[in-house]
Amino acid sequence: MDFEYQEDYIRNSRGVQLFTCRWMPCTSPKALVFLCHGYGMECSGFMKGCGTRLVNAGYGVIGIDYEGHGKSGGARCYIKKFDNLINDCYDFFKSVAAQEEYRNKSRFLYGESMGGAVALLLHKKDPTFWNGAILVAPMCKISEKVKPHRVVINILTKVEELIPKWKIVPSKDVIESAFKDPIKREEIRSNKLIYQDKPRLKTALEMLRTSMSLEETLNEVTLPFFVLHGEADAVTDPEISRALYEQASSIDKTLKLYPGMWHGLTSGEPDDNVEIVFADIITWLDKHTGDPSPKLANGGDNPGVQEYALRKSSSTMKKGRGQQQTRPYGSYLCGWKGRTHQHSAM
């Protein structure tokens, strides 16, 4: 399908220049898909494959690099307030949806890893606006096994205003454990727009607080959603997606776990696996496109719970994980695994 790729810059309410991009079909799009990228990532390069696949399926795809990320201005990967990211995305996405040619189009959020948290918070900010969400290995809960002790959080909180931008959080190479295909892994590593340094103190704390808040309010999620997770994910725990699926109040919700797949479902797996994942995503979008009225948990006309390829047996989980390399200890923040924070963690 023929499409047009566009880039532009806007300024947020704090005067910071933000990079935006969009992939638009030459004909009227089926619906709009708004991209929420992960921590340390960006839209124009890293999410190009996602944009082109969805636009070739007939969707208009809109992305924005968060402040401090990708081609946007601001201190690299410094998140002073997580609400700033949400408000910037909200203002920009709403402005696009309000354009005359798109007013009657369905609106979907698409979030990967930390972008999953951004998507869920955008939904909570205006529950009646979105028609659904695609959540790929989302960051939305902290495993009880690795949640930091309250004393540790209190100590870090006391010094965050003194050294907010210090890159002092211990880190490991998450790219190595997130992307299975070695060629794609090196391509991602060579992307200079992707942040690959240690997390800043305040950034880590903001992500921790966001995860804890989401964990406590998963029942407030009401929009239709499709959550996808690799069973061999060593960055975010598949059980986090299961918790979202089980606790969300949404009537129309789907969880799919992929045996043997890692964290980078859409960009780090072998081509055959990526094709499978995007086929599932596009199928879900096609089924939910057409009616511009959002379907909420209390709407009364939802098609009902959808659940497929959901594996609950421990034997299946072990089989998938057995295909993964030795798991590095990850982070205790943001639903990431382990006890050491990883950088460029999507």
Side-chain angles (χ1 to χ4, degrees):
M1 176 180 289
D2 292 334
F3 66 88
E4 182 180 5
Y5 174 71
Q6 305 169 353
E7 295 185 350
D8 198 4
Y9 286 88
I10 61 173
R11 288 196 179 274
N12 63 19
S13 60
R14 300 172 302 284
V16 179
Q17 183 171 264
L18 303 179
F19 172 83
T20 70
C21 59
R22 63 183 73 183
W23 294 261
M24 285 292 174
C26 293
T27 57
S28 180
K30 294 178 181 178
L32 302 180
V33 179
F34 296 89
L35 302 182
C36 304
H37 65 73
Y39 166 75
M41 311 310 283
E42 50 87 31
C43 286
S44 61
F46 178 74
M47 300 199 77
K48 179 180 178 181
C50 178
T52 55
R53 285 174 184 271
L54 294 183
V55 75
N56 280 318
Y59 293 91
V61 186
I62 299 94
I64 182 172
D65 289 353
Y66 312 138
E67 180 176 339
H69 289 70
K71 297 179 181 179
S72 291
R76 292 297 83 192
C77 256
Y78 174 55
I79 301 176
K80 184 176 182 179
K81 292 183 179 179
F82 208 88
D83 281 348
N84 289 344
L85 272 62
I86 306 305
N87 292 333
D88 290 344
C89 290
Y90 180 84
D91 292 343
F92 173 61
F93 291 166
K94 280 264 189 154
S95 71
V96 174
Q99 294 176 17
E100 182 67 30
E101 63 267 42
Y102 304 137
R103 286 180 183 174
N104 294 321
K105 299 296 180 180
S106 297
R107 303 170 292 273
F108 296 96
L109 293 164
Y110 177 104
E112 293 190 356
S113 199
M114 188 189 80
V118 174
L120 290 173
L121 290 171
L122 284 169
H123 157 58
K124 291 178 66 176
K125 188 175 177 69
D126 190 350
T128 66
F129 188 73
W130 306 102
N131 295 84
I134 302 288
L135 306 170
V136 182
M139 176 197 97
C140 56
K141 186 180 185 295
I142 301 175
S143 171
E144 292 297 327
K145 297 178 181 179
V146 297
K147 186 177 293 185
H149 195 280
R150 188 175 302 174
V151 174
V152 175
I153 298 174
N154 288 340
I155 293 174
L156 294 176
T157 301
K158 290 180 179 179
V159 299
E160 68 175 306
E161 297 302 332
L162 298 176
I163 50 173
K165 296 182 180 180
W166 274 31
K167 304 173 184 178
I168 62 174
V169 181
S171 63
K172 286 184 178 293
D173 184 2
V174 73
I175 290 178
E176 189 69 26
S177 57
F179 305 101
K180 181 189 294 184
D181 187 289
I183 296 177
K184 294 178 181 179
R185 184 190 308 146
E186 291 311 310
E187 289 176 351
I188 292 167
R189 200 185 299 281
S190 65
N191 184 340
K192 301 303 181 183
L193 294 175
I194 294 177
Y195 183 78
Q196 298 179 49
D197 207 342
K198 292 180 180 180
R200 302 175 188 272
L201 175 58
K202 194 168 185 65
T203 297
L205 286 173
E206 281 296 298
M207 294 172 72
L208 170 63
R209 294 179 186 121
T210 299
S211 290
M212 294 177 69
S213 176
L214 279 173
E215 176 183 355
E216 295 171 355
T217 57
L218 292 179
N219 65 304
E220 296 178 8
V221 177
T222 59
L223 87 171
F225 68 82
F226 179 20
V227 58
L228 309 83
H229 218 124
E231 285 188 349
D233 190 335
V235 179
T236 58
D237 195 331
E239 291 302 313
I240 295 168
S241 287
R242 193 188 300 277
L244 169 62
Y245 175 83
E246 293 175 348
Q247 295 180 37
S249 297
S250 305
I251 294 176
D252 180 354
K253 53 185 177 179
T254 303
L255 168 65
K256 185 162 185 179
L257 304 178
Y258 297 85
M261 294 196 196
W262 295 14
H263 185 70
L265 288 176
T266 63
S267 54
E269 289 289 318
D271 290 345
D272 289 348
N273 286 350
V274 173
E275 292 290 342
I276 291 171
V277 171
F278 273 109
D280 290 340
I281 290 172
I282 292 169
T283 296
W284 189 91
L285 284 171
D286 286 346
K287 288 180 178 179
H288 290 77
T289 297
D291 181 2
S293 301
K295 291 178 171 59
L296 304 179
N298 58 356
D301 62 346
N302 289 308
V305 174
Q306 301 176 32
E307 179 179 358
Y308 59 95
L310 175 58
R311 294 165 173 80
K312 294 186 177 181
S313 68
S314 59
S315 60
T316 303
M317 294 296 286
K318 290 178 181 177
K319 180 180 179 182
R321 289 172 180 168
Q323 298 176 36
Q324 163 71 296
Q325 60 187 322
T326 302
R327 290 170 177 266
Y329 284 104
S331 165
Y332 56 68
L333 303 180
C334 315
W336 299 340
K337 297 181 178 181
R339 299 184 180 278
T340 307
H341 196 93
Q342 302 181 357
H343 61 74
S344 184
M346 304 278 295

